[in-house]
Amino acid sequence: MEQYKQEFIEFMVESEVLKFGTFTLKSGRRSPFFMNAGAYVTGEQLQRLGRYYARAIHDNFGDDFDILFGPAYKGIPLSVVTAIAYHELYGKQVSYCSNRKEAKDHGEGGNLLGAELADGARVVMVEDVTTSGKSIDETYPLISGAADIQVRGLMVSLNRMEVGPSGGKAAIDEVSDKYGFPTACIVNMAEVVEYLHNREMQGKVVIDDKVKAAIDAYYVQYGAKR
């Protein structure tokens, strides 16, 4: 596993973005882990987060894009900090674009903010996590209808690796199948479990044998086909 992936796993735990216990998800599933990207709140955390996204985008999709698109709301800061980090790490000038939940009817108006989408624009989409694909279903028609763009890929921070709405593949893979562009993650849960199992962090073991057994049982029931 790449060094930056190991660092990102530790970063999620240290930032209390990734937690282990018993959580009821929006879907109604009871999960032994939970991710909340809204817990990235400080300048240092956001700077580091942007760098991890930039590294993963560079490794998976290369430099052949112009715009980072982040679906409202959590995707807005993601697109901004990743655009900054990409320039910092790779010297490439990329723009950000996001959608508004409600169209603006004054000033410049419209459904989008940030860079204008023009024909031929090459776009990488960024999200925190994709559990159902709903946000992509809402925003992809919006941006593809704004101009004749090319979506180079979707990057999420964590692939939960559990079945999406179809009940077969992971939601992130369902998005790829549906829209025809590649998807990737900074890390997936298999990598998280492998790295953290019986590893001490901040004076305690984050995933001990009991927690791992709960995660394994969860994936027996909800794990996606690979």
Side-chain angles (χ1 to χ4, degrees), residues 100-116:
R100 294 184 171 95
K101 288 288 190 179
E102 297 179 1
K104 187 177 180 183
D105 58 5
H106 60 281
E108 77 278 16
N111 292 305
L112 301 175
L113 66 154
E116 180 180 355

Side-chain angles (χ1 to χ4, degrees), residues 159-180:
N159 180 1
R160 289 182 59 96
M161 300 178 66
E162 58 190 88
V163 291
S166 72
K169 295 183 177 180
I172 192 172
D173 296 322
E174 291 181 355
V175 167
S176 183
D177 290 346
K178 184 174 183 178
Y179 294 110

